[in-house]
Amino acid sequence: MSVVFSFPGFETIADNIAAKLNFRRGDVTVRHFPDSESYVRLETPVAGQDVIIVCGLEHPDHKIMALMFFSHVAREMGATSVGLVAPYLGYMRQDKRFHDGEAITSDIFAAFLSQIVDWLVTIDPHLHRHERLDEIYSIPNRVIHASGLIAAWIRDNINGPVLIGPDMESEQWVSQVAKDAEAPFIILRKIRHGDRDVEISVPDVKAYKDHTPVLVDDIISTAHTMIETVGHLKAAGMKPPVCIGVHGVFAARAYENLQAAGVENIITSNSITHPSNGINIEDIITDAVAEMK
Ligand code: R5P
């Protein structure tokens, strides 16, 4: 028997898994003390049960200790396994030592998380220099893709789209979305000079002047990648763009800044809860969890 728990903010995903797979729904209290240390209490017995915890890992530093405590206490209370559903998997972007002495946090975090849980389900992790999660995660894992849902959204909502990927690594998902949406696509070149300093090169887009540009990226964090791209498309005389991100991290005022850049249509999946959510990933997560069991 399986029991599904949720960290704060992921209740609807956990509810969907429990309802569709006929699992029990468990309760856990997760909070922070005034000094910011974490408090975790399992409210539902788990002895002899397979435990599933839904906890997205955006803002991972704020959650990872509580997740470790959750997993430990679940095992102490007799859980036979602890599986993690992390719709957004944090710490995937620093996958290389660019400067002497830098921690390759993707690898270190993966090794740490592999000690904490028995398996992992996630959506479109930022796989750039690593091709597969297995290269850094030593636990069974299932990577699911939002490309089919994004393509369906584009087909249903946009007339004459041209998909735009902001950088080389985006080609993997943009080309798939374009294929499913039966739309043309263009991949741009990006040079990142700093956290909030990106340079984008836009090829000749004249052929697509009567198309609606649809920017597709896996993560919108500071939104500088999108804002920079939108600026180039405007200058090239393209129609107003639509911006789609699988994961709307939206650091600080990123969302407002993207709107201020003139983008009225910003769409993300509900891997991270946000007013821009327009693509529902609950069912593909549930299907993946069913396959892990
Ligand atoms: C990185 O290469 C990713 O695919 C995104 O392009 C990036 O994370 C977006 O970051 P930001 O919104 O801060 O420009």
Side-chain angles (χ1 to χ4, degrees):
M1 188 62 188
S2 298
V3 52
V4 190
F5 292 85
S6 163
F7 265 38
F10 301 94
E11 290 80 2
T12 60
I13 297 175
D15 289 346
N16 193 61
I17 296 170
K20 300 247 165 77
L21 301 183
N22 208 14
F23 293 164
R24 272 198 316 142
R25 187 68 172 80
D27 288 323
V28 58
T29 299
V30 180
R31 65 179 179 84
H32 288 94
F33 289 109
D35 63 2
S36 86
E37 291 184 2
S38 303
Y39 171 92
V40 173
R41 181 179 182 199
L42 282 189
E43 316 273 3
T44 304
V46 294
Q49 310 274 302
D50 291 324
V51 163
I52 298 162
I53 177 73
V54 185
C55 173
L57 289 170
E58 63 281 5
H59 307 296
D61 295 5
H62 186 68
K63 296 177 193 164
I64 194 66
M65 294 308 291
L67 185 60
M68 182 182 72
F69 296 142
F70 173 89
S71 181
H72 269 258
V73 72
R75 290 200 176 93
E76 282 165 15
M77 297 293 122
T80 40
S81 65
V82 179
L84 171 66
V85 175
Y88 177 74
L89 185 59
Y91 279 119
M92 286 298 292
R93 296 203 288 170
Q94 176 101 34
D95 56 1
K96 180 181 162 180
R97 199 184 323 281
F98 297 94
H99 303 286
D100 236 16
E102 280 180 351
I104 305 175
T105 50
S106 62
D107 298 20
I108 300 167
F109 189 75
F112 180 57
L113 205 54
S114 297
Q115 300 285 320
I116 295 178
V117 294
D118 296 303
W119 54 261
L120 168 68
V121 164
T122 190
I123 305 171
D124 290 317
H126 187 74
L127 290 167
H128 179 192
R129 290 173 189 87
H130 299 297
E131 261 180 44
R132 300 163 48 83
L133 270 193
D134 294 333
E135 291 168 32
I136 49 175
Y137 279 81
S138 58
I139 47 174
N141 57 77
R142 180 98 174 79
V143 168
I144 46 182
H145 301 286
S147 51
L149 297 174
I150 295 174
W153 187 93
I154 293 171
R155 275 198 312 269
D156 291 349
N157 293 281
I158 309 292
N159 266 332
V162 54
L163 271 59
I164 305 210
D167 50 26
M168 290 307 286
E169 67 254 41
S170 70
E171 181 158 5
Q172 48 186 311
W173 48 86
V174 173
S175 59
Q176 187 57 49
V177 174
K179 192 168 161 230
D180 294 350
E182 296 175 0
F185 71 93
I186 306 170
I187 301 296
L188 313 182
R189 300 273 178 284
K190 174 167 91 179
I191 304 169
R192 184 177 282 284
H193 299 294
D195 292 350
R196 292 178 169 76
D197 183 7
V198 292
E199 188 185 322
I200 307 275
S201 74
V202 176
D204 194 358
V205 287
K206 276 202 283 301
Y208 297 106
K209 279 262 170 71
D210 52 0
H211 287 60
T212 298
V214 182
L215 278 62
V216 180
D217 208 349
D218 58 340
I219 301 168
I220 309 177
S221 177
T222 65
H224 278 270
T225 300
M226 293 271 181
I227 291 169
E228 187 70 14
T229 308
V230 165
H232 286 299
L233 296 175
K234 252 194 215 164
M238 298 283 284
K239 286 185 174 178
V242 175
C243 289
I244 302 182
V246 178
H247 306 291
V249 173
F250 295 119
R253 295 191 52 79
Y255 184 59
E256 290 76 9
N257 294 342
L258 188 52
Q259 287 176 316
V263 185
E264 285 174 15
N265 217 346
I266 305 169
I267 303 294
T268 59
S269 87
N270 55 346
S271 67
I272 298 173
T273 303
H274 188 266
S276 60
N277 291 168
I279 292 167
N280 188 350
I281 43 72
E282 286 170 8
D283 283 345
I284 59 172
I285 287 185
T286 295
D287 292 346
V289 170
E291 286 172 26
M292 293 306 293
K293 300 297 302 157

